[in-house]
Amino acid sequence: MSTIGNSQKGRKRRPRSHARPSAAAAALQGLRGARMTDVANLAKVSAMTVSRALRHPAIVDPETLKRIHGAIEATGYLPNRIAGSLASQRSNIVGLIVPSLRNSLFAETVKGVADTLGDAYDLLIADSGYVLDREEAAVAAFLSQRVCGIVLHNTKHTPRTRRMIQSAAIPCVETGNLVRCPIDMAASFSNHKAAYDMTAYLIGKGYKRIAFVSLPLDDNDRARERQSGYLGALKAHRRAIDRNIILESAPGLRGGAEALIELMKKRPRIDAVFLTGDVLATGALLEANRKGWRVPDDIAIAGSDDNELQEYVSPPLTSVRFPRYDIGCTAASMLLKRIDGVPSAERVVDLGFQIIPRAST
Amino acid sequence: MSTIGNSQKGRKRRPRSHARPSAAAAALQGLRGARMTDVANLAKVSAMTVSRALRHPAIVDPETLKRIHGAIEATGYLPNRIAGSLASQRSNIVGLIVPSLRNSLFAETVKGVADTLGDAYDLLIADSGYVLDREEAAVAAFLSQRVCGIVLHNTKHTPRTRRMIQSAAIPCVETGNLVRCPIDMAASFSNHKAAYDMTAYLIGKGYKRIAFVSLPLDDNDRARERQSGYLGALKAHRRAIDRNIILESAPGLRGGAEALIELMKKRPRIDAVFLTGDVLATGALLEANRKGWRVPDDIAIAGSDDNELQEYVSPPLTSVRFPRYDIGCTAASMLLKRIDGVPSAERVVDLGFQIIPRAST
DNA sequence: TTGAAAGCGATACCAG
DNA sequence: CTGGTATCGCTTTCAA
């Protein structure tokens, strides 16, 4: 019957070790590690009511709500989502895997996803380094973390990756290429068609010998699609295909510059180059400027993945614009719809692309 | 006494709704949602032994281990880290907050963190949009998620942000600027000194009227530090300070281009500009090229955050190089050390920077 | 080297 | 509108 207070009810148990760094300090600050029960005791309600106050405030008495919020404030309570997720069997974490965190292309998509997810969801990110096995490992890690959805940039996967995601039965959107048979859903554009259209555009402008440069095709389904789009356009227009002017290049400005140099050395008769991927086209253009090769008179240059830089160089680059930010937004919103149980319209969404003609061709 | 099998022991309970999408299908595939108990039953051991097999294989009998791995394979078991984290009171998720996911500067640091964390930790990422209140919200979300450590790019925070992190008592590294009093730890370089040194370098090259352009100082401690470094160098060299040639610019190539135009219009007598932040310097250089202003004869241009592009434009840009990738690596490794209980050496690590003189000055 | 029991902190369900 | 109770799936502890 002490008159000291009823603090008894609040803190009991915790017999396992878990040594909290000084219960005294915690009490002093009234902050460290308050649990829902602590809030409940302070507000003279049950933990359940606190839980409701947080999740469905509308069905809680306004007065009660006020007391609870006061208690939350006083204790510095931060809900434990680990416990919440375990109990409710649902998490609010979305996983995203890109081939490279460095590449600012992907940053656009990441930003679209993050913006669309908003405050209600958190974003787990991993980098597959363009390696399928690393993607698989990241997927396994994410599934262990029980993410509520996955966004993959890659559209080529190991069998186990597909199996794991399908078994987990969580929504998944692939964004790197418009695939016919997605694991689950896809939001993207057709790399094949983009390359086809750009090549056709160059042919239409009257260029006779058009070279093609991309990143290495190995494990890179996007690059592969683009090369096949280029080849398709040549065939459709009955142009000869010359394997000598089809290159795979290292990434970076230097990669593009070196590719151009090689092409000009080997086959001076080419009159146009389409460099797709990374910043290859910009690298080539800057190199042409340095060498004094006139663009487009000596050599026309077209790029892809349009950005502010391609618009600002001289001459500005003809390019294909991909809606990467929108793709991120769309991917996230497809995920959210599924999570919210909205009957899904389409599983594969084509966001298209746009050829931007400029002075370099 | 059925002779059908002992599958009885495996699947019982689960009376709450949680309707798993068809237990039959699950059984068929033998995959969906196996729990540790299921693995244990199949391997004829207790769940505890499975747990040990996963976490401390060395202390489990090799034969037992083999059976357990077989069972894991057969069931497609993926450990549930939510449950694991709740039980062990520790998570393996690190949280990272950058001002902008779009900016490739930050991508370097993100990559450094991700690479260093390796497979044992997952990375939660948020974007504060350069707004302190959004940083605070992200920190609250991360703490709710019970991250085991936090990396912040910002070094200016709301009081509540600091309080939350300190109360949570988890390791935290700030990376955007070398702060004297970090919340916990810091790994960075001095923005002040970098700007000071670059300004002094320009003075040493004989430039008389040096303009300064940065991103808006508002809520941006890095930009603030850089401006003060510039001012400090001018003072130290007894140069007059002219507020008319100190600009805050919008980001992007366009921002840099417009800043240069404004400076040339207003004060044609300036002979050098130091543009720091984003891609401002590159934008200015490209604009100078377009306008036919000779660099460095008409106007010298220096930048910061050196990258491949600054090296490739003509003339190549004098710049300051920041070790952003290393900063990410260092930040992550400081976090890991603390998590592993390694007695921490220094709380603040200065990674330095490097002035790269090129033809633009 | 292995197992049984008791939590971790929240939520679902049902009763009041 | 509110509370009691039984889990969620794993790890800690302690005993065998």
Side-chain angles (χ1 to χ4, degrees), chain A residues 242-254:
Chain A
D242 181 352
R243 287 281 161 190
N244 286 306
I245 59 173
I246 299 178
L247 263 52
E248 295 180 31
S249 153
L253 293 169
R254 170 162 291 126

Side-chain angles (χ1 to χ4, degrees), chain B residues 11-346:
Chain B
R11 295 276 178 182
K12 36 182 179 177
R13 84 179 180 331
R14 298 207 180 175
R16 282 217 257 173
S17 73
H18 292 334
R20 298 221 168 204
S22 162
L28 264 173
Q29 302 184 237
L31 277 175
R32 181 137 21 193
R35 295 156 303 172
M36 195 176 263
T37 312
D38 302 327
V39 174
N41 290 157
L42 194 59
K44 315 270 188 213
V45 293
S46 73
M48 253 331 289
T49 305
V50 176
S51 177
R52 282 194 200 95
L54 259 26
R55 224 151 296 291
H56 314 287
I59 63 167
V60 174
D61 183 279
E63 282 305 315
T64 312
L65 210 51
K66 208 173 296 170
R67 284 209 318 284
I68 291 175
H69 282 131
I72 288 176
E73 196 68 24
T75 53
Y77 173 69
L78 280 175
N80 183 330
R81 288 220 54 103
I82 293 181
S85 295
L86 181 61
S88 66
Q89 300 284 76
R90 77 177 90 254
S91 87
N92 66 330
I93 301 185
V94 168
L96 171 64
I97 304 174
V98 291
S100 161
L101 285 169
R102 271 216 174 85
N103 198 321
S104 54
L105 300 184
F106 305 129
E108 281 297 304
T109 306
V110 175
K111 179 84 170 121
V113 171
D115 286 354
T116 305
L117 290 180
D119 290 336
Y121 293 84
D122 290 317
L123 189 58
L124 215 43
I125 297 194
D127 179 333
S128 71
Y130 294 91
V131 176
L132 297 192
D133 283 340
R134 291 194 48 198
E135 182 186 70
E136 178 181 306
V139 166
F142 284 0
L143 294 179
S144 258
Q145 221 62 257
R146 297 300 189 259
V147 295
C148 62
I150 286 195
V151 179
L152 301 175
H153 187 82
N154 252 10
T155 53
K156 198 185 164 209
H157 317 280
T158 67
R160 186 160 172 257
T161 299
R162 301 185 77 95
R163 214 180 323 127
M164 284 192 297
I165 295 176
Q166 278 163 341
S167 302
I170 59 170
C172 167
V173 184
E174 293 164 82
T175 61
N177 190 42
L178 205 64
V179 277
R180 271 176 296 281
C181 300
I183 296 179
D184 180 22
M185 299 179 282
S188 190
F189 58 86
S190 164
N191 285 279
H192 179 97
K193 189 164 188 315
Y196 184 105
D197 284 9
M198 176 59 91
T199 307
Y201 162 84
L202 292 171
I203 291 172
K205 290 284 278 184
Y207 294 105
K208 299 304 178 198
R209 288 181 54 78
I210 303 166
F212 178 86
V213 183
S214 70
L215 296 178
L217 305 196
D218 210 41
D219 265 8
N220 186 335
D221 47 317
R222 281 94 57 204
R224 213 174 277 277
E225 285 289 311
R226 292 182 192 177
Q227 189 184 90
S228 87
Y230 160 80
L231 294 173
L234 290 186
K235 271 181 208 140
H237 292 80
R238 307 184 166 279
R239 296 300 173 91
I241 287 167
D242 181 353
R243 286 282 161 190
N244 286 306
I245 59 174
I246 301 178
L247 263 52
E248 295 180 32
S249 154
L253 294 170
R254 170 162 291 125
E258 285 169 356
L260 182 67
I261 292 173
E262 187 178 338
L263 285 170
M264 294 297 273
K265 195 183 317 176
K266 217 180 350 189
R267 298 271 157 161
R269 291 164 304 153
I270 63 169
D271 52 5
V273 203
F274 172 28
L275 302 99
T276 177
D278 202 55
V279 291
L280 299 181
T282 309
L285 179 71
L286 293 177
E287 186 63 28
N289 286 344
R290 256 195 303 270
K291 287 280 200 293
W293 297 329
R294 288 166 309 155
V295 177
D297 298 331
D298 293 334
I299 177 90
I301 298 180
S304 68
D305 255 302
D306 189 44
N307 55 44
E308 202 193 6
L309 179 60
Q310 298 190 348
E311 183 184 343
Y312 259 72
V313 288
S314 302
L317 277 163
T318 291
S319 192
V320 197
R321 178 172 298 162
F322 300 132
R324 299 214 180 261
Y325 180 77
D326 286 347
I327 288 172
C329 296
T330 305
S333 100
M334 289 168 86
L335 235 42
L336 294 183
K337 269 185 200 141
R338 273 286 273 295
I339 291 169
D340 297 340
V342 177
S344 60
E346 339 168 56

